[in-house]
Amino acid sequence: MIAEKYQQFIVDVAKEIPKDRIITDPLKILAYGTDASFYRLLPQVVVQAHNEAEIVSVLESAVPLGLPVTFRAAGTSLSGQAITDSILVVASHKWRGYEILDEKGLRVRYQPGVIGSRANIVLKPYGRKIGPDPASINSAMIGGIAANNASGMCCGNSQNTYKTIAEIRIVLYDGTILDTADVASRKAFTDKHPEIIREIAQLRNDIVSDAVLYERIQRKFKIKNTTGYSINALVDYEDPIEIIKHLTVGSEGTLAFISNITYDTVVDEPFKSCALLIFNTIEDACNAVPYLSKSPVAAVELLDRESIHSVEHNPMAPDYFKTLPESACVLLVECQASTADERLEKQEGVRQAIVEVPTAFPFEFVAAEKDPKRYSFNWQARKGLLPSVGGLRKTGTTCLIEDVAVPVEKLAEACIGLKALFKKYDYKDAVLFGHALAGNLHLVFSQDFSDPKEVDRYAHLMDELGDLIAVKFGGSLKAEHGTGRNMAPFVLKEWGDAAYNTMLRIKQIFDPKNLINPGVIINANPHIHLENLKPLPASNPIVDKCMECGFCESSCVSEGLTLSPRQRIVVGREIERLKTTGENPYRLDLLQRESLYNVDETCATDGLCALACPVDIDTGKYVKDLRHASNTEKQEKTAEKLGDKMSAVTAGMRGVLNIVGGFQSILGDGIMGGIAGGLRKISGDKIPKWNPYMPKGGTKIKHAIVNAGQENKVVYFASCINRGMGKSKGYLKDDLKLVDMTEKLLTKAGFTIIYPEGINGLCCGMPFSSKGFKEEGEKVSNELASALMQATENGKYPVLYDMSSCFYTSHEHFSHHKELKIYDPIQFVLEFVMPKLKVTQPRENITVFPVCSTKKIGMVDSLVQLSKMCAKNVSLVGTNCCGFAGDRGFTFPELNAHGQRHLKEQIPAGCAEGYSTNRPCEIGMSEYSGISFKSIFYLVDEVTK
């Protein structure tokens, strides 16, 4: 039951914000009550705010009631700064706006929901980027990057948000807005809050008059430091508005909400290379860092031997990783330049710099453009170390990361001290890595919080860590991950009374009622870092290694509609926990009922989350496993019958589609849509959704061989979807159905086409496995494999699939048939068809969409290459997954609508043609883009006439 004050808040805020964005149901509350840290608090209310006026409304409704408010963007923060047990405001989906403010891209304004990597994509044409480059840049959003003053690999201390901020727009606790870029706003703020201006000025004067404190602040911010507030603003600036601007950076949402932020961008050098420098000991590696700091390097990343252990089994990892001595240490060195020749000079400069501290083995630089996979692996191995190490931990334990910095000259001594600390408290799995040039080290280890003795062990470790880093080495207990709840009890230890009192005054100035993200940075509870610890019970072997980092969320089509992969795992873990403990059966029943739609039915199971996950967790496979567990015996028998009669199933599909298509032809789209929509509503959404691009029936294949007698032969597996579905609205009158079109194209290229025996009854198994019918999926997959083995004469001829998703399914399941050479449509056309044809009529403008399977097999670049052979201008749709998900576009069309909500704006003006490699996706893309999407085979045929 929600407390009376929160009920009043909901009533008040609902005057500005629609009720469907004011969330109180237990499943969503649980899902949003999780960030990447090892803490969990469950909000009373979650508000999805879409604009600044709604933020003001939240504050004006909550503050008079004395209700705390916490703001969140992506929730990838690691120190517990994005959780609350009060009101959580999520500002992400409708906060993706940006504006490049000059023709050279020197200055750009972002809203807080822009993902870091996206921020750089829009700057790429200008050869610029934002300064911060955290490892989480593909998921973290600008709001969090600025609020935590995140830095990263190449950023150092000179290109973080604090150093590269130009302007900021913020909302204070009482709804007051300050836009530092607007002279009128600055004046209005000064007139409304003269006490803030006055007290900021007084704070600066107090610090300037305290020589000891002044010097301490200057010294401590020479290295990375996000412990406490950015009080260096009181030293670096005199103007109160400038001080406020810079105090907001790194304030972790405890002073104000950031509506937008303007960055001065930095150069993104086009020529990059990296090298792995292997040293015999961590001391040798650390001793090399001062020399490297004087060389022309952009980054130096330290990885201890335990770090290398965590990634050495990656398929891209070099073989020597496994043979390195246990004392070894690696430095990943990056060079960046404006020309290839300049890069060579810098690489030589690095070699010369470390002559006095030689490496254990010779090393070579890998150029990003010459060997992109190897270059990418080196950096992905480093950026994904936290979750990778977390993936090796024992089930039920939590992966912790501490983030410290010391003066570079004390780096070797600090490493030795930290290793000794791990040994003293028996953290055998602890690893050490970080940004060596900045003296910034990350300590990663697993921790069991279910045992009070283990919690006590962690408490002792943290106490000694504070003494070692803050006292002995004069370093930072949080270098770049933010103070949060994790380090709040240690701010006083690190900074001392004078600086800490300054921070207390800052909080009081901006948040006099202590309602804006309270408990973060400033917290009087000395044990807050040991409270509200997140439970991580065993749930399912597929997802048990998840540490809830949130890297997956930006890849998920249902995120923002229902749940993200991380949130699905959170819900699944809580359900299993409640089953095990037996507590609160009502809550368990509620979560199980609500999870049917939120966890299962709206998951596209596309697997793109695994591409973003450093430990390769495919939440789609997890959901399929849940479906398998919930399938009844009757459903399994039905699936078995369907699998045995695929020829009849596709024939039935053709008949139904032809009937529906006939009505569409007679009635027209408008009347047909009204009738179909009404019938679906009456049926309780049991009848599939109709859309104008629903195809007519396809083609039954009646011959075994086409164009016999050619030297080149190909076995063509026409998918059951394309055998069942024919042409849609938007196809040209002379267009053939896809199976016939494929025959025409292959014949033109000089192939004899062989169909496997029983083609009309064959299936790759995807329609069954995606719904959790594992056994039937395997059975029909094996039947297909046997038919292909026979048709190819045991692998003598290549096999062409006409849908990427079907190819991917067989690619996953044919491990026992390595003789078969199966090809995705893109790869086959590139390798076998285009060399035999001549492009005579290239298209002017086309749009192409790489479906999920294309992304998972690494075929996006090949799709672009093929498209550019066929058209002068190629636009690539940036949507992750279209959300059609096989049949979900018909049965749960809201998933498709959500996935395509930004599609139309990605279609260039004047472009009327779209192409892809998956029939259901093309149906959904056509509906939401306004142009017809067809198989890439149609494009190739047209341009080679």
Side-chain angles (χ1 to χ4, degrees), residues 531-758:
E531 298 176 4
N532 305 304
L533 301 169
K534 181 191 294 181
L536 291 176
S539 170
N540 184 297
I542 297 173
V543 299
D544 280 342
K545 296 302 181 184
C546 172
M547 60 165 286
E548 302 176 10
C549 66
F551 282 18
C552 57
E553 293 195 332
S554 60
S555 301
C556 179
V557 66
S558 65
E559 193 275 323
L561 173 69
T562 51
L563 299 179
S564 69
R566 167 168 66 175
Q567 292 171 333
R568 286 185 167 88
I569 294 170
V570 167
V571 171
R573 282 173 166 167
E574 180 66 1
I575 288 173
E576 290 305 315
R577 188 187 73 82
L578 292 174
K579 285 181 180 178
T580 302
T581 63
E583 64 181 85
N584 204 336
Y586 170 78
R587 177 177 170 81
L588 172 61
D589 179 64
L590 188 149
L591 290 178
Q592 287 178 316
R593 281 188 283 110
E594 288 194 350
S595 69
L596 176 62
Y597 177 75
N598 290 283
V599 174
D600 179 349
E601 293 173 341
T602 52
C603 178
T605 66
D606 55 62
L608 292 184
C609 47
L611 298 184
C613 176
V615 290
D616 302 321
I617 292 174
D618 185 340
T619 311
K621 288 183 178 178
Y622 165 60
V623 171
K624 291 176 187 176
D625 198 62
L626 294 178
R627 292 172 182 171
H628 179 257
S630 65
N631 285 336
T632 64
E633 185 178 348
K634 182 179 180 181
Q635 289 172 323
E636 293 285 354
K637 287 183 177 179
T638 300
E640 186 177 348
K641 289 178 182 178
L642 291 174
D644 291 338
K645 299 178 180 178
M646 284 304 298
S647 182
V649 170
T650 51
M653 184 194 304
R654 289 193 290 270
V656 170
L657 289 174
N658 280 326
I659 292 171
V660 173
F663 278 111
Q664 181 181 0
S665 299
I666 296 169
L667 300 173
D669 291 351
I671 296 175
M672 183 69 185
I675 294 173
L679 290 173
R680 176 171 166 80
K681 186 174 182 180
I682 292 170
S683 73
D685 291 343
K686 295 292 190 296
I687 294 175
K689 175 184 178 288
W690 176 87
N691 79 53
Y693 293 91
M694 188 174 283
K696 293 184 178 179
T699 303
K700 181 178 181 179
I701 298 170
K702 300 176 181 178
H703 32 246
I705 297 179
V706 178
N707 197 30
Q710 303 300 313
E711 179 182 355
N712 297 308
K713 296 179 175 62
V714 60
V715 172
Y716 172 29
F717 171 58
S719 69
C720 56
I721 290 290
N722 287 324
R723 299 196 307 268
M725 292 183 174
K727 298 197 300 182
S728 295
K729 173 186 175 179
Y731 279 57
L732 300 176
K733 183 178 180 180
D734 295 334
D735 280 346
L736 300 173
K737 296 175 182 178
L738 180 60
V739 173
D740 299 329
M741 171 60 70
T742 306
E743 288 183 3
K744 176 187 174 186
L745 181 62
L746 293 173
T747 298
K748 184 164 57 174
F751 283 93
T752 290
I753 304 160
I754 303 168
Y755 284 104
E757 186 176 347

Side-chain angles (χ1 to χ4, degrees), residues 30 48 55 147 209 228 276 281 285 296 442 459 531 554 736 777 849:
L30 170 67
Q48 294 175 324
I55 295 292
S209 64
L276 295 173
T281 66
H442 300 320
E531 298 176 4
S554 60
L736 300 173
F849 174 59

Side-chain angles (χ1 to χ4, degrees), residues 472-513:
K472 182 176 180 179
F473 295 123
S476 312
L477 288 169
K478 281 295 180 184
E480 57 179 0
H481 293 167
T483 309
R485 287 170 166 76
N486 179 220
M487 207 55 69
F490 300 92
V491 177
L492 175 59
K493 173 179 279 192
E494 175 173 332
W495 276 102
D497 290 332
Y500 188 67
N501 287 334
T502 298
M503 295 180 190
L504 291 175
R505 289 170 64 185
I506 290 169
K507 177 65 171 172
Q508 177 65 26
I509 289 169
F510 286 92
D511 184 20
K513 297 184 179 182

